[in-house]
Amino acid sequence: MLEIDWKQFKSGTDIRGVATEGVPGQEVNLTGSAVRRMAAGYLLWLSNKTGKPASELTVAVGHDSRISADRIQKAVVDALLSAGVRVLVCGLASTPSMFMITVDWDCDGSIQITASHHPYYRNGLKFFTKEGGLDGSDIDEILAYAAENKAPAYGKGVAEMVDYMSRYSEILRDKIKQGVNAEDYEHPLAGFHIVVDAGNGAGGFYATDVLAPLGADISGSQFLEPDGMFPNHIPNPENAAAMDSVRLATIRAKADLGVIFDTDVDRGGAVDAKGDELNRNRLVAVASAIALEGNEGGTIVTDSITSSGLKEYIEDTLGGHHHRFKRGYRNVINEAIRLNNEGVNCPLAIETSGHAALRENYFLDDGAYLVTKIIIKMAVLRREGKNLETLLEGLREPVEATELRLPITASDFRACGEAVIAGLEQWAEKHGWAIAPDNREGIRVSFGKENGDGWFLLRLSVHDPIMPLNIESDSEGGVRKMVEQLHEYLLTCEGLDISPVAKFLA
């Protein structure tokens, strides 16, 4: 039997792998044996953290709608039971609910079986404690235990089938009731028409169990039924086809709002009544406006690719502070937690991908909670004769924006990417380019009106051998001007495939 490379399963702060047979070029590595060893590794890690033997732990297990979910759930539960754990089997569940169950029902930990927006044939494990999701170093420790085939002492656990999603839906409904504070407390969304696109993931509950009981008209909602093959579109708010799907559905239904979730509902996006996207910078702007209510002068932590116009909006329109940080949802969350611990009032950590974590909600990235806050804001604005569009009147958006993804062909992709960034910094200084002062990831360079009227950011991907290049300009033709100038440097870089740049300029 070939030795397993356990490091291959690490994906930032999650575990991911191939779980479904029969896909050309994709060999299953998330086998039952591998899953059991990783679940046992989590138990050892959790025992160390809590100071409890595995036989005294209570752990919840849930999954999204993927076709491999039942098989992997069985492997996880078997591993937990054989260590004497009390297991709460939640079945189909959102990832955020699997954190909330640790707080609400006093579980020591939980495991969500999901691969987020990845293709149907992939799956993975996401771990929680009452303090939130794990960090990358924790995943390293779990995988080290799995590599050594270490497991807790044998025990005889007990499994209970539970319905936590009903309780989680109740929490969201109560949040809306209190936030809207309408005359009809039980039906505060009466008169609102909201379309939900769940992409056949785990998010269909939001339409049927949260919005409809509160009086909302959910007609026109689509793909609410779980289907792990995702036959209609990728459940991903960053995907253009997915956003176009919910946009058209919202327009067809003449709804007040359309919302969309990724597979496991830790990310969300929205479109307004006109079908305009509340996504990426616009979503960050809306979330920032909501988070800064009652937190005047507070700090918003975002990832590195947010626009210059967003920074102006947060600081000039909202009166807050913008702290641009690294890509990766755990990166922005951990940075927000660090700032709060240092006494900085930081109510929100958010990525342009749709991961949004509010301090009031345990800094949990929860797409359903974010959408809930947006719906509350929409209802309050309507009472004032306004709508969500008026909230964004102060947001200056770029005239042009694009992203090019440059593959790294060198065997040591991280060393190559770091060398490219270091070289670009020297090149920028030599040519008098303006390097951003709040540069915390890769290198961000700004150009004046005559040379592109905007900025680019070149960085190394969090997980993959790719260097994403984001470019925005406030003038027509500005993106091309900046890419042309950068291209001269990229021609000197070894181990980097710059054909996407050449194609853009062709």
Side-chain angles (χ1 to χ4, degrees):
M1 180 178 177
L2 294 175
E3 181 62 30
I4 297 174
D5 175 13
W6 291 91
K7 293 181 179 179
Q8 69 180 309
F9 295 110
K10 183 180 178 183
S11 179
T13 57
D14 300 345
I15 282 171
R16 301 263 173 87
V18 178
T20 301
E21 295 180 346
V23 180
Q26 301 292 329
E27 184 176 349
V28 172
N29 57 8
L30 211 59
T31 62
S33 174
V35 169
R36 283 189 292 272
R37 286 170 67 166
M38 288 185 281
Y42 170 65
L43 286 181
L44 289 172
W45 177 90
L46 187 60
S47 291
N48 291 337
K49 183 175 181 61
T50 60
K52 296 180 179 180
S55 58
E56 294 180 11
L57 295 173
T58 297
V59 177
V61 180
H63 61 77
D64 68 18
S65 60
R66 293 170 188 277
I67 60 175
S68 56
D70 289 342
R71 176 180 70 81
I72 295 178
Q73 177 179 267
K74 183 180 186 304
V76 169
V77 171
D78 285 349
L80 302 186
L81 291 177
S82 66
V85 175
R86 176 183 175 228
V87 186
L88 303 185
V89 183
C90 299
L92 184 70
S94 72
T95 290
S97 76
M98 294 309 295
F99 163 75
M100 284 301 299
I101 195 172
T102 68
V103 176
D104 194 32
W105 281 7
D106 196 29
C107 296
D108 297 290
S110 66
I111 301 174
Q112 171 74 344
I113 299 165
T114 181
S116 186
H117 61 281
H118 283 218
Y120 75 92
Y121 55 83
R122 291 181 66 81
N123 214 327
L125 306 174
K126 193 174 181 70
F127 306 103
F128 292 98
T129 70
K130 296 175 184 179
E131 296 175 1
L134 275 57
D135 288 322
S137 58
D138 302 319
I139 301 300
D140 290 335
E141 186 176 341
I142 290 169
L143 290 175
Y145 286 134
E148 297 173 17
N149 201 15
K150 288 187 175 180
Y154 178 78
K156 191 173 183 181
V158 60
E160 305 171 32
M161 298 296 297
V162 299
D163 176 18
Y164 185 72
M165 284 302 294
S166 292
R167 167 61 183 155
Y168 178 70
S169 298
E170 179 186 18
I171 292 171
L172 294 177
R173 291 197 303 270
D174 287 344
K175 188 73 181 176
I176 293 173
K177 289 178 182 179
Q178 294 160 11
V180 174
N181 194 24
E183 289 185 13
D184 184 352
Y185 184 76
E186 292 300 319
H187 303 95
L189 297 182
F192 286 93
H193 189 173
I194 303 172
V195 163
V196 176
D197 184 330
N200 302 112
F205 79 95
Y206 196 79
T208 56
D209 299 344
V210 178
L211 299 180
L214 297 180
D217 178 356
I218 61 169
S219 61
S221 293
Q222 57 187 15
F223 317 138
L224 304 183
E225 306 79 13
D227 186 333
M229 293 298 291
F230 312 124
N232 294 291
H233 63 68
I234 297 172
N236 181 5
E238 279 194 293
N239 179 265
M243 288 306 298
D244 195 50
S245 175
V246 70
R247 185 183 66 82
L248 293 174
T250 303
I251 293 172
R252 279 196 305 268
K254 298 180 180 179
D256 300 298
L257 185 74
V259 299
I260 184 169
F261 299 114
D262 72 343
T263 317
D264 60 328
V265 204
D266 60 1
R267 289 188 294 135
V271 297
D272 62 26
K274 296 185 298 183
D276 292 335
E277 293 184 13
L278 297 177
N279 211 14
R280 300 181 69 81
N281 286 295
R282 287 166 62 84
L283 182 66
V284 176
V286 169
S288 298
I290 292 169
L292 288 173
E293 292 177 352
N295 289 291
E296 288 73 15
T299 295
I300 305 297
V301 177
T302 74
D303 59 344
S304 58
I305 64 171
T306 47
S307 69
S308 300
L310 177 67
K311 186 176 186 70
E312 294 169 5
Y313 176 79
I314 291 173
E315 298 189 344
D316 299 340
T317 301
L318 301 180
H321 297 283
H322 180 207
H323 185 89
R324 189 183 286 122
F325 199 59
K326 302 174 184 178
R327 288 280 280 180
Y329 71 95
R330 284 305 308 178
N331 287 331
V332 294
I333 290 173
N334 286 344
E335 181 69 357
I337 292 172
R338 182 188 71 81
L339 290 172
N340 277 286
N341 289 338
E342 293 181 358
V344 177
N345 177 15
C346 179
L348 173 67
I350 184 168
E351 262 202 317
T352 47
S353 65
H355 281 287
L358 287 135
R359 181 178 58 199
E360 67 180 55
N361 191 42
Y362 308 96
F363 272 122
L364 171 68
D365 52 320
D366 184 343
Y369 192 88
L370 174 64
V371 164
T372 292
K373 295 287 288 187
I374 291 173
I375 289 171
I376 291 170
K377 186 63 177 176
M378 177 181 68
V380 171
L381 285 170
R382 177 178 286 189
R383 287 209 297 262
E384 299 172 357
K386 302 176 184 178
N387 53 37
L388 289 172
E389 296 96 295
T390 62
L391 200 63
L392 294 172
E393 289 175 352
L395 177 64
R396 179 176 63 83
E397 301 188 67
V399 174
E400 296 179 338
T402 193
E403 180 180 84
L404 303 175
R405 297 175 68 82
L406 314 182
I408 298 174
T409 57
S411 56
D412 188 344
F413 76 88
R414 193 160 299 280
C416 176
E418 291 170 352
V420 169
I421 291 168
L424 179 54
E425 185 172 359
Q426 294 177 1
W427 181 282
E429 290 174 349
K430 178 181 177 180
H431 289 77
W433 294 354
I435 300 175
D438 59 345
N439 208 50
R440 298 185 178 91
E441 178 179 36
I443 179 168
R444 184 177 176 123
V445 177
S446 298
F447 292 87
K449 287 185 178 295
E450 67 283 358
N451 290 316
D453 196 17
W455 57 270
F456 72 72
L457 171 70
L458 183 67
R459 63 183 178 86
L460 182 59
S461 172
V462 177
H463 308 304
D464 304 315
I466 288 173
M467 296 198 76
L469 172 64
N470 294 89
I471 318 108
E472 287 190 4
S473 174
D474 293 327
S475 299
E476 189 173 341
V479 166
R480 183 179 181 85
K481 284 184 180 180
M482 288 182 282
V483 173
E484 286 174 342
Q485 294 170 82
L486 178 61
H487 186 230
E488 188 178 349
Y489 166 71
L490 294 177
L491 287 170
T492 71
C493 298
E494 296 183 2
L496 187 65
D497 180 359
I498 63 171
S499 58
V501 172
K503 185 178 179 180
F504 177 84
L505 293 174

